[in-house]
């Protein structure tokens, strides 16, 4: 069971459909691990439904009913949301975006211990990327000009504030610095959603900055 | 606006109460019942259109398009509706919300491999106990909603019905963002929504 959760503002915006797509996908992935947040989301959905029942109704013409009835036998479109099978580790939303497994992705090597793979969500304001950190490896100290969400998918990492494991959802505001280190025992894969590029600190890693421009979409 | 009127005193919902709208959905699933669909349409289409026009980001034409799209989806997906899991109105609301999100994105020429229902599925799979809980919560939320202070109800409507972000709601109401967030939280507390963080 995860220990770090999206706060209620995130969950509310997720349910109301107002959260930017990349962030919402990240919340959806957390729900895959988190029974408590699923329960909260179900409650928030009831709030939406209760408001929907009370919305000021608008007049709908008979003609619209007829047009709708005439279209009922149309073939449904071929897009089906993928249902999560019980016990599956990788969240369905990521399986859809990856078209396969972690091993099938193109990984861009940043350091000996760190590789990044960018996934396309179509969100024009956010980068959505997977980080593969080798056991014991660290992501160089960095800060952000924007906000960052991290979701641990496999293994775990630690930083100055604590240890994080699969399912943990972390939100860092712009300006906060950190240098996550993967646990010694296994590799760590996490998902990062950024609304502005990372900035690496420290001489040794400055050279990387031009390579880590934000890639939204 | 409760469809089930008189059998309200029964608060134990171990088995789903037969209510008119669930029955319509079941009839559609069972026998492609167009009369049941028409009853459902007459009740929900005006709500879907009201939902579409709240926040006035859609034209009347787009609102009608949304009504059709949602109701056709209701028809096509009726077999997936499970009255044990959710009230008919909750299920239809989630479909309407997802269709509206997709329509917004289409209008903004947003090119994405994800449909809104990939991100927020309309039927979360939970254990039977959870399902009873969530039906019970749904009933409680509806009862508590009536007692919300106007300013809190107004914010919730902006967020959910008008689809405004907290920041947009703050700008429109000329309130600090922190005030909007705390009003939303207060409202959700009053509705007894459990918060993990
Ligand atoms: Zn959680």
């Amino acid at each position: 069971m995860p220990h770090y959760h999206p706060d209620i503002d995130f969950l509310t915006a997720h349910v109301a459909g107002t959260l930017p797509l990349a962030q919402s996908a990240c919340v959806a992935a957390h729900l895959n691990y988190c029974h408590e947040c699923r329960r909260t989301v179900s409650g928030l959905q009831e709030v939406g439904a209760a408001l929907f029942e009370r919305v000021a109704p608008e007049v709908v013409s008979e003609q619209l009913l007829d047009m709708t009835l005439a279209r009922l036998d149309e073939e449904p479109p071929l897009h089906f949301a993928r249902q999560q099978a019980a016990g599956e580790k990788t969240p369905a939303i990521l399986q859809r975006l990856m078209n396969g497994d972690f091993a099938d992705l193109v990984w861009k090597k940043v350091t000996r211990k760190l590789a990044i793979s960018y996934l396309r969500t179509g969100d024009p304001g956010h980068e959505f990327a997977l980080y593969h950190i080798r056991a014991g490896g660290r992501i160089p100290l960095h800060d952000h000009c924007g906000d960052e969400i991290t979701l641990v998918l496999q293994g775990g990492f630690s930083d100055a504030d604590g240890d994080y494991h699969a399912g943990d959802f972390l939100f860092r505001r712009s300006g906060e610095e950190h240098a996550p280190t993967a646990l010694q025992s296994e590799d760590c894969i996490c998902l990062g959603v950024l609304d502005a590029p990372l900035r690496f600190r420290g001489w040794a890693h400055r050279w990387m900055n031009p390579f880590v421009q934000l890639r939204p979409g | 606006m409760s469809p089930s009127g008189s059998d309200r005193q029964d608060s134990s919902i171990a088995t789903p109460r037969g209510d008119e709208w669930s029955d319509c959905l079941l009839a559609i699933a069972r026998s492609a019942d167009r009369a049941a669909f028409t009853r459902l349409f007459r009740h929900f289409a005006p709500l879907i259109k009201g939902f579409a026009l709240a926040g006035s980001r859609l034209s009347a034409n787009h609102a009608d398009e949304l009504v059709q799209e949602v109701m056709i989806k209701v028809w096509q997906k009726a077999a997936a509706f499970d009255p044990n899991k959710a009230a008919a109105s909750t299920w239809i609301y989630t479909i309407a919300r997802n269709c509206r999100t997709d329509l917004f994105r289409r209008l903004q020429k947003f090119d994405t491999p994800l449909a809104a229902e990939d991100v927020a599925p309309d039927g979360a799979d939970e254990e039977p106990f959870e399902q009873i809980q969530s039906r019970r919560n749904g009933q409680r939320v509806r009862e508590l909603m009536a007692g919300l202070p106007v300013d809190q109800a107004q914010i919730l409507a902006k967020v959910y019905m008008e689809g405004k972000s907290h920041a947009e709601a703050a700008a429109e109401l000329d309130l600090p963002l922190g005030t909007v967030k705390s009003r939303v939280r207060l409202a959700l507390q009053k509705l007894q929504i459990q918060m993990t963080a």
Side-chain angles (χ1 to χ4, degrees):
Chain A
M1 191 64 91
H3 288 100
Y4 297 86
H5 308 271
D7 69 12
I8 192 72
D9 298 337
F10 268 117
L11 294 180
T12 307
H14 173 71
V15 170
T18 60
L19 200 60
L21 178 59
Q23 296 190 339
S24 217
C26 196
V27 169
H30 170 77
L31 293 178
N32 183 60
Y33 299 88
C34 186
H35 179 72
E36 282 173 80
C37 286
R38 283 205 298 275
R39 200 158 53 188
T40 307
V41 159
S42 144
L44 291 170
Q45 218 140 254
E46 297 295 347
V47 174
L51 289 158
F52 174 67
E53 288 165 17
R54 292 150 50 111
V55 83
E58 293 279 340
V59 176
V60 169
S61 66
E62 278 301 301
Q63 197 194 355
L64 191 66
L65 171 60
D66 292 339
M67 282 162 61
T68 311
L69 284 168
R71 289 181 52 194
L72 289 183
D73 298 323
E74 279 179 11
E75 285 294 308
L78 273 174
H79 185 101
F80 290 105
R82 200 179 171 293
Q83 289 287 331
Q84 188 81 38
E88 251 178 353
K89 271 194 176 164
T90 311
I93 183 96
L94 286 178
Q95 294 186 32
R96 180 176 279 283
L97 288 171
M98 295 192 298
N99 268 324
D101 210 344
F102 296 128
D104 306 325
L105 297 172
V106 178
W107 291 92
K108 186 181 148 78
K109 216 165 163 184
V110 180
T111 67
R112 220 159 38 79
K113 297 275 194 179
L114 171 68
I116 302 183
S117 182
Y118 297 94
L119 299 181
R120 192 179 81 83
T121 62
D123 182 333
H126 292 85
E127 175 186 289
F128 193 94
L130 298 174
Y131 296 76
H132 184 159
I133 322 167
R134 294 216 173 276
R138 57 190 292 178
I139 295 188
L141 183 68
H142 63 276
D143 61 14
H144 334 100
C145 339
D147 297 336
E148 177 190 57
I149 297 175
T150 308
L151 179 73
V152 183
L153 301 171
Q154 266 181 30
F157 73 87
S158 60
D159 66 12
D161 301 319
D163 282 2
Y164 315 101
H165 301 274
D168 280 335
F169 181 104
L170 296 148
F171 178 59
R172 304 223 178 243
R173 293 218 159 273
S174 73
E176 294 178 334
E177 277 192 354
H178 65 147
T181 304
L183 302 180
Q184 293 299 330
S185 49
E186 57 179 322
D187 288 10
C188 174
I189 297 180
C190 46
L191 165 63
V193 176
L194 289 169
D195 62 3
L198 294 181
R199 278 191 317 226
F200 289 106
R201 314 289 299 224
W203 281 110
H205 298 293
R206 284 273 165 78
W207 63 270
M208 285 194 287
N209 285 335
F211 296 93
V212 285
Q213 266 137 22
L214 188 70
R215 297 180 190 204
Chain B
M1 197 118 1
S2 161
S4 52
S6 58
D7 54 24
R8 256 286 148 100
Q9 66 271 28
D10 181 16
S11 61
S12 76
I13 29 176
T15 53
R17 290 164 305 145
D19 74 62
E20 190 184 349
W21 311 129
S22 300
D23 291 346
C24 287
L25 288 170
L26 296 174
I28 293 169
R30 203 173 41 234
S31 55
D33 185 333
R34 286 175 176 251
F37 178 82
T38 303
R39 279 205 302 284
L40 214 53
F41 187 98
R42 289 195 196 285
H43 179 77
F44 283 102
L47 296 181
I48 297 165
K49 190 165 176 182
F51 173 67
L53 292 174
S56 58
R57 279 195 228 181
L58 293 178
S59 65
N61 280 343
H62 283 135
D64 281 350
E65 188 184 308
L66 188 76
V67 168
Q68 280 199 57
E69 206 178 310
V70 173
M71 291 307 298
I72 289 169
K73 226 171 207 165
V74 164
W75 172 264
Q76 289 168 343
K77 296 180 81 171
F81 170 71
D82 180 350
N84 291 304
K85 283 188 190 171
S89 61
T90 304
W91 188 71
I92 293 173
Y93 157 70
T94 54
I95 292 177
R97 173 202 61 192
N98 286 346
C99 286
R100 188 174 76 170
T101 304
D102 286 334
L103 179 59
F104 281 157
R105 291 191 181 134
R106 275 204 306 280
L107 293 174
Q108 290 166 18
K109 308 255 188 296
F110 214 97
D111 178 22
T112 171
L114 296 172
E117 68 175 325
D118 294 319
V119 182
D122 35 60
D125 274 316
E126 293 285 3
E127 304 78 56
F129 173 74
E130 294 293 326
Q131 295 167 7
I132 297 166
Q133 263 324 92
S134 85
R135 291 243 13 184
R136 204 171 274 158
N137 290 347
Q139 204 173 30
R140 194 181 53 209
V141 163
R142 285 164 178 79
E143 285 158 12
L144 292 170
M145 187 74 84
L148 275 191
V150 176
D151 60 336
Q152 290 171 18
Q154 183 194 27
I155 292 264
L156 284 186
K158 276 228 174 292
V159 170
Y160 277 95
M161 293 300 106
E162 299 186 18
K164 299 283 158 63
S165 69
H166 290 22
E168 288 166 332
E172 273 185 31
L173 297 169
D174 202 15
L175 290 169
L177 180 57
T179 308
V180 166
K181 286 188 175 178
S182 65
R183 273 189 202 169
V184 171
R185 279 169 190 252
L186 273 174
L188 296 175
Q189 267 161 22
K190 290 218 175 83
L191 299 175
Q192 300 181 20
I193 302 300
Q194 168 212 305
M195 298 182 202
T196 34

